[in-house]
Amino acid sequence: MSEEKSLNFLEEIVEADLAAGKYSSIVTRFPPEPNGYLHIGHSKSICLNFGLAKKYGGKTNLRFDDTNPVTEDTEYVESIKDDIRWLGFNWAEELYASDYFDKLYEYAVTLIRKGLAYVDDSTSEEIATLKGTPTEPGKDSVYRSRSVEENLQLFSDMKAGKYKDGEKVLRAKIDMAHTNMLMRDPIIYRIKHAHHHRTGDKWCVYPMYDFAHGQSDSIENITHSICTLEFIPHRELYDWLIEKLEIFPSHQYEFARLNMTYTVMSKRKLLQLVNEGFVNGWDDPRMPTISGFRRKGYTAESIRTFCDKIGVAKRENFIDLSLLEFCLREHLNKIAKRVMAVLDPVKLVITNYEDGKTEMLNSENGPDESMGTRTIPFSKELWIEREDFMEVPAKKWFRLAPGAMVRLKSAYIIKCDAFIKDVNGNITELHCSYIPESKSSNDTSGISVKGTIHWVNIATALEAEVRMYDRLFKVENPASEEGDFKDFINPHSLEIIQKAYLEPSLATAAIEDRYQFIRKGYFCLDKDSTANQLVFNRTVTLKDTWSKEANK
Ligand code: ATP
Ligand code: MG
C-alpha cells in the first residue's frame, strides 16, 4: 500500500537488535511530565514511540514522569490521555514514576551501601562552585568521605523529615574530575516538603530526573528509551546508574526535537500564554497544543501524516508550519463536505423570480461522488459575499459587476441590473435577473459565464459566529527574537465575524464536524456552540497565503 520507504535510524537499531536476538520484542514508553498540555512536538514523540512498537509488534507504556511535586496536576494527566487516544494510539500500561518512589528509595540505599552515594550538607552555591568548569576539574566536597553507616542514617533522616528543603542532598559518588560535568557527583535526591498529586504528603525527599528516568525505564523493561538530543550528555549517567544497580539494561537513544515556525513549544511559555490571557485556555485554537489543533478542526490523521513526513532527524531544525497545513488540506480535501456560507453578506434580490416561491436544488457534497448530494433552498432573496461585487470591475473580473453575469453555484446564471448604496457609499442591495433556462442541473441556456459564486437563501439562512484564526505569532521564531516572545504575537490572530449566514443543512452539524465553506476555507463547529448560537472556527484557508507573502 504505502510506498517503500527507507528505515529511519531508530528502526535500523530496532531491527538489528531483534535480528541479534537481543530482545524477543521491544518495549517503548512515552514519558510526559504532567505539567501542561501536550503540544505538536509531543505528537512527534508519540508517533515515534507508539509507531515503533506497532511496527515491530512490541508495546508502549504511558508513563507519567511525575517526580516533581510542585508543578503537576491531575487536569494535565487527563488531557494527556485524551490527546494520545485522539491521536489514535493505545498504551499497554498507564504508569506513574511516583509509583516507583519506594523502589527508587531502595535503589538509593543500594548505592549508599556500595559506597557509591553520599549525603552532602553543602549549599547549592557551594556545590556549584566545587563542580569546576568544563575545562577545570571539580573538587571533592568535605562530606564525600562519610561512612556508609553515617550516609544510611542521614538519608533515612532526610526521608523522615528531619531537615528543611535544601539542607542536605544525596549525591552519586562518581568522579569530580570527570570530563562530563554531569558525572561530577550528580545530585540524585533532594528534600522538598511539598504535596504530591498522587503520593500526598508521604514523601519529603524526591528523586532527581536522572535518578528516576532510567530506573523507571529499567523497572518497566523498556528496551529502547527514546528522548530528545539535549539528553545526550545524560546517557553516560543513565548507563552508569543501571550498571551499578545491576538492573534491566534499558538503552537511551536520542533524536532531534520538533521545532516549528510561527509558534513556541515549551510548556513554560505556553503556560504564560494561558495564565496571562493571551489565549483562552490550553485548547485555544491558536495554541500549538494537540487539543488546540483538534479544536481548530485538525484531524489526527493529518498530524500523524505530518510526523511521518518530517521523519526522524539527528540534527535540530525548524519545520515550516505550512507543511502541517499542507497535510491538513490534503486530508480535509478528501473528507470535508462542501457547503455554502456567506461571511460578509450583502443582499441580492432576483427581481424576475416569483415572490414567495422556494425551489429545492441539488448540490453535490464534494468532488467525489461517494460524498453524495443534498438539497438546498433557493428563492428570490439571497446573501452573497460583498467581495463578489465590484462597482467598477477590475481587469479579468469574472464575478458580479453592473451588467455582468455569473453563475450562482448549483443554481442559475444571473445578471446584475442595478445596485443600491447607502449615504456612506456602501452597497446595500444588488438587483439581478435570472435566466430560467440556466439551472445547473439542466442548463439549456447556451450562455457560458466564467465566474461562479456561492450564496445563501435569506429566508432559511442560519446565523453563526465565525472565528477567523490566523497564526499566533507574526515572526517565524518568536522564542529566538530579542525581548519577550509575547511581543511578537500577531494582533490579528483572531478576528470574529459576529453574523455569518449558513445554508440550513448545517443545522445538524456536531461539535468538531469539519466542512469546506466553498471558496472560503475549512471550518469546524466549535464546542462553544449552543442550540441558539452556532460557532464555527476557521481551521485553515484553502490556499497557503503565508508562503505566498513570504515569496513576494
Ligand atoms: P517542554 O520543554 O515543552 O516542557 P518536555 O520535554 O519537558 O517539553 P515532557 O513532558 O517531559 O516535556 O516530554 C515528554 C516526551 O516528549 C519526552 O520524551 C520529550 O523528549 C518529548 N518531547 C517534548 N517536546 C518535544 C518536541 N518538541 N519534539 C519531540 N519530542 C518532544
Ligand atoms: Mg521534561
Side-chain angles (χ1 to χ4, degrees):
M1 254 200 2
S2 65
E3 69 219 71
E4 192 77 25
K5 268 190 14 181
S6 58
L7 299 180
N8 67 46
F9 79 94
L10 289 166
E11 291 169 333
E12 278 172 7
I13 291 170
V14 169
E15 292 202 359
D17 286 350
L18 290 172
K22 206 163 157 188
Y23 312 105
S24 55
S25 73
I26 66 162
V27 187
T28 60
R29 87 286 173 263
F30 175 64
E33 187 180 341
N35 62 348
Y37 280 58
L38 297 181
H39 50 62
I40 186 82
H42 290 113
S43 60
K44 175 75 216 172
S45 174
I46 293 170
C47 290
L48 194 54
N49 279 297
F50 284 91
L52 272 178
K54 206 166 177 177
K55 179 163 179 184
Y56 295 104
K59 64 169 194 169
T60 305
N61 288 341
L62 168 60
R63 183 204 312 145
F64 290 100
D65 183 4
D66 58 351
T67 52
N68 181 0
V70 215
T71 53
E72 294 156 6
D73 200 318
T74 41
E75 177 198 340
Y76 298 139
V77 168
E78 291 310 314
S79 75
I80 288 169
K81 293 201 284 184
D82 279 352
D83 289 347
I84 299 173
R85 276 194 219 103
W86 179 76
L87 272 176
F89 297 106
N90 297 304
W91 49 89
E93 288 180 76
E94 176 184 333
L95 301 160
Y96 293 81
S98 58
D99 287 346
Y100 308 140
F101 281 168
D102 286 288
K103 189 92 191 158
L104 295 171
Y105 182 84
E106 267 176 49
Y107 285 159
V109 169
T110 303
L111 285 184
I112 297 175
R113 287 221 162 89
K114 290 187 167 193
L116 294 173
Y118 61 98
V119 173
D120 194 334
D121 303 0
S122 310
T123 63
S124 53
E125 292 76 26
E126 285 163 348
I127 290 177
T129 314
L130 289 177
K131 197 135 214 184
T133 66
T135 50
E136 270 171 79
K139 293 195 185 75
D140 288 0
S141 154
V142 292
Y143 304 101
R144 197 174 197 264
S145 51
R146 275 178 164 152
S147 68
V148 168
E149 287 65 37
E150 192 185 359
N151 281 319
L152 286 173
Q153 186 59 49
L154 289 171
F155 189 48
S156 153
D157 291 346
M158 280 167 67
K159 180 191 177 204
K162 288 203 181 161
Y163 306 107
K164 293 201 279 291
D165 288 7
E167 255 187 278
K168 286 184 167 43
V169 291
L170 184 72
R171 299 177 71 176
K173 195 171 181 176
I174 308 179
D175 178 2
M176 287 305 290
H178 204 286
T179 48
N180 180 348
M181 297 279 287
L182 289 172
M183 298 292 277
R184 293 185 187 172
D185 292 9
I187 298 172
I188 57 176
Y189 258 93
R190 59 177 172 161
I191 300 171
K192 195 143 202 132
H193 291 270
H195 188 85
H196 186 279
H197 78 120
R198 281 173 64 87
T199 58
D201 296 313
K202 177 175 173 192
W203 295 91
C204 63
V205 288
Y206 290 95
M208 301 298 285
Y209 172 86
D210 285 314
F211 195 67
H213 204 90
Q215 291 36 259
S216 304
D217 285 343
S218 184
I219 292 168
E220 294 172 22
N221 287 358
I222 301 300
T223 55
H224 299 80
S225 174
I226 300 162
C227 60
T228 43
L229 293 180
E230 66 273 23
F231 289 97
I232 289 178
H234 296 250
R235 195 198 313 141
E236 207 167 3
L237 179 54
Y238 183 104
D239 292 341
W240 187 90
L241 288 166
I242 283 181
E243 184 200 318
K244 299 300 175 198
L245 290 167
E246 300 173 72
I247 52 180
F248 180 86
S250 299
H251 288 284
Q252 174 184 305
Y253 302 93
E254 309 86 9
F255 73 102
R257 64 194 300 117
L258 165 63
N259 299 304
M260 220 164 59
T261 55
Y262 298 103
T263 190
V264 291
M265 218 123 65
S266 102
K267 280 184 271 184
R268 199 176 47 80
K269 291 198 172 74
L270 297 177
L271 186 64
Q272 282 181 52
L273 293 174
V274 173
N275 285 348
E276 297 171 30
F278 289 97
V279 294
N280 303 313
W282 283 97
D283 69 347
D284 184 297
R286 291 165 293 179
M287 290 283 273
T289 51
I290 295 176
S291 51
F293 280 118
R294 174 179 177 178
R295 185 167 172 192
K296 200 173 175 191
Y298 274 65
T299 59
E301 178 172 319
S302 65
I303 295 178
R304 291 197 306 265
T305 306
F306 168 73
C307 289
D308 194 41
K309 258 195 206 314
I310 57 182
V312 188
K314 274 189 175 178
R315 279 230 309 267
E316 293 270 348
N317 62 349
F318 267 82
I319 304 288
D320 201 324
L321 177 58
S322 302
L323 180 61
L324 177 58
E325 292 178 343
F326 170 83
C327 297
L328 175 68
R329 285 191 190 96
E330 279 219 317
H331 191 216
L332 291 180
N333 182 45
K334 279 189 243 156
I335 61 158
K337 198 166 152 181
R338 272 68 167 164
V339 294
M340 296 205 271
V342 172
L343 304 184
D344 182 15
V346 67
K347 186 174 175 182
L348 183 149
V349 180
I350 303 177
T351 49
N352 61 339
Y353 198 84
E354 194 180 314
D355 283 336
K357 175 178 167 182
T358 301
E359 277 182 85
M360 293 307 288
L361 302 173
N362 250 330
S363 191
E364 66 283 2
N365 292 331
D368 183 347
E369 271 180 21
S370 70
M371 293 175 89
T373 60
R374 67 190 186 290
T375 54
I376 35 177
F378 179 87
S379 56
K380 191 179 179 85
E381 295 188 342
L382 310 173
W383 295 119
I384 65 155
E385 295 291 348
R386 184 168 293 280
E387 64 175 18
D388 282 338
F389 174 79
M390 263 185 115
E391 188 181 341
V392 183
K395 258 195 193 157
K396 295 205 173 165
W397 178 259
F398 300 124
R399 293 178 262 167
L400 274 182
M405 285 181 144
V406 289
R407 171 169 295 282
L408 293 172
K409 168 84 182 153
S410 303
Y412 297 94
I413 293 174
I414 56 168
K415 178 171 171 225
C416 181
D417 304 315
F419 56 89
I420 302 173
K421 279 186 184 177
D422 66 13
V423 286
N424 301 318
N426 298 316
I427 305 286
T428 54
E429 211 169 290
L430 299 171
H431 287 179
C432 299
S433 46
Y434 85 118
I435 317 283
E437 303 78 39
S438 68
K439 193 166 169 171
S440 286
S441 54
N442 180 27
D443 184 357
T444 57
S445 69
I447 302 171
S448 85
V449 291
K450 284 209 169 114
T452 300
I453 64 172
H454 63 277
W455 51 275
V456 168
N457 184 45
I458 292 182
T460 51
L462 302 172
E463 283 181 13
E465 175 183 315
V466 179
R467 299 177 181 168
M468 305 290 273
Y469 290 107
D470 202 346
R471 297 179 176 190
L472 185 53
F473 290 94
K474 52 188 180 187
V475 295
E476 279 204 357
N477 186 2
S480 76
E481 296 282 340
E482 242 171 76
D484 190 340
F485 74 99
K486 287 167 291 182
D487 294 342
F488 301 94
I489 288 185
N490 173 7
H492 307 293
S493 64
L494 169 58
E495 286 182 353
I496 298 179
I497 295 172
Q498 300 290 353
K499 206 187 267 186
Y501 293 106
L502 319 177
E503 63 167 71
S505 75
L506 286 162
T508 57
I511 307 299
E512 288 185 13
D513 275 358
R514 306 167 185 96
Y515 296 91
Q516 184 191 112
F517 288 180
I518 291 171
R519 302 173 64 222
K520 294 274 101 185
Y522 291 101
F523 293 79
C524 84
L525 191 69
D526 189 76
K527 67 173 186 187
D528 283 348
S529 296
T530 62
N532 304 321
Q533 174 70 68
L534 293 172
V535 179
F536 277 88
N537 296 324
R538 181 167 71 189
T539 310
V540 70
T541 52
L542 289 177
K543 289 196 186 109
D544 184 352
T545 51
W546 280 72
S547 61
K548 238 192 288 168
E549 261 174 38
N551 293 337
K552 253 185 215 161

